[in-house]
Amino acid sequence: MSVAESLAQPLSTLAFCWRLERRDGVTIGLTSHDRDLWIGGLRYRAAPGMTPSAIRAGIGLEPDGLEIEGALSADAIAADDLATGRWDGAALTLSLTQWEAPGEMWLELARGTIGGVERRGAAFAAELTGAAAVLDAPVAPVTTPDCRAELGDRDCRVDLARRRRIATVSAVEGERVTLAGPPLVAGVHAFGTVRWMSGAATGIAQAVIDNDAGGLWLSDGAAGAAGDLVLLTEGCDKRLATCAARFGNVANFRGEPWLRATTC
């Protein structure tokens, strides 16, 4: 039965299906039906509280926003995973099917990535960002005294292979993470990242505020615990002096440090 014929039935048995794939490869399926559905080898778990906002399709270039809401579930979308950003940027596909014959009628309604996620008591709301959102990006960069590139990206071109190391966490106290092993160079990991490589926080990346020889201060409370392995990546404060002295990379500096604003 075609999609048009299915939707034209006097009594329909429709169910929404969400397929979510995190950046670390974890993939889950959710459905608005009250029982689990197996479609294409993926189990779509019953989540009757999951609801999409109004869906609008058109031929214009305006980004059609879509918001999904649902209850937090420990075995599907956990509160801790939302808080630590594991679902940020996840690929999401919203489709419509018939729960009497799952997958036979399959109408894709929306596709994109998850943008901001907001906690609402015991529930959450996530915004879906479509492909047209890329058109909102500026055509030309805005002038800035600091570098606009990110350390190690294709504009910066600094090789990060020599600026990463794996270490073992010896203690965690709030935002402070103490590391075992050789001492760090003070300040080089400020504005860098820590990615947890083992333990319950595996895969989570956190921003570094500053570091001394023995450890780091993170922007949020440490996601992991003592004994975990972490991957440390150096940071950059985006100043020309740092680019020249630490990285020898002035040729790729993406800023205008000598530009001064004038008023008429």
Side-chain angles (χ1 to χ4, degrees):
M1 184 180 294
S2 66
V3 172
E5 291 173 337
S6 299
L7 298 179
Q9 295 295 311
L11 181 61
S12 60
T13 56
L14 301 177
F16 290 109
C17 292
W18 290 263
R19 177 189 172 94
L20 299 98
E21 183 174 353
R22 293 192 328 210
R23 291 174 296 177
D24 59 4
V26 174
T27 302
I28 66 170
L30 300 170
T31 178
S32 60
H33 190 46
D34 59 2
R35 288 178 293 176
D36 294 355
L37 304 177
W38 284 92
I39 304 171
L42 180 65
R43 174 189 175 192
Y44 288 79
R45 307 183 191 186
M50 292 281 290
T51 57
S53 64
I55 301 169
R56 177 171 56 90
I59 61 174
L61 295 179
E62 298 82 2
D64 296 333
L66 173 66
E67 187 179 77
I68 58 172
E69 298 182 2
L72 294 171
S73 174
D75 59 349
I77 299 179
D80 290 344
D81 289 342
L82 289 174
T84 52
R86 282 187 169 177
W87 288 101
D88 294 350
L92 184 148
T93 304
L94 173 62
S95 303
L96 192 66
T97 191
Q98 289 185 312
W99 54 260
E100 282 188 328
E104 289 188 13
M105 188 277 286
W106 191 254
L107 175 61
E108 185 176 300
L109 300 175
R111 175 187 293 268
T113 57
I114 292 181
V117 179
E118 178 185 353
R119 286 284 305 278
R120 297 179 180 175
F124 74 95
E127 179 185 4
L128 179 67
T129 302
V134 71
L135 300 175
D136 291 335
V139 176
V142 178
T143 56
T144 58
D146 297 331
C147 184
R148 293 181 295 276
E150 296 298 328
L151 183 63
D153 69 9
R154 65 180 182 179
D155 290 327
C156 171
R157 302 185 183 181
V158 166
D159 183 7
L160 290 180
R162 296 182 295 113
R163 302 183 181 277
R164 289 189 172 120
R165 59 175 284 189
I166 294 177
T168 301
V169 175
S170 59
V172 171
E173 185 177 354
E175 288 79 20
R176 171 70 176 179
V177 174
T178 305
L179 303 174
L184 305 176
V185 178
V188 301
H189 291 280
F191 306 103
T193 60
V194 165
R195 183 174 292 276
W196 298 85
M197 305 293 289
S198 67
T202 298
I204 294 176
Q206 294 189 269
V208 178
I209 298 175
D210 202 357
N211 77 281
D212 57 16
L216 318 146
W217 287 271
L218 305 183
S219 59
D220 300 307
D228 292 347
L229 291 177
V230 291
L231 175 64
L232 311 178
T233 302
E234 291 187 15
C236 178
D237 61 8
K238 300 180 178 292
R239 295 187 302 122
L240 180 62
T242 303
C243 186
R246 240 179 84 198
F247 302 106
N249 194 42
V250 173
N252 293 314
F253 186 81
R254 307 295 177 177
E256 297 75 31
W258 314 117
L259 188 65
R260 294 291 183 268
T262 59
T263 57
C264 297

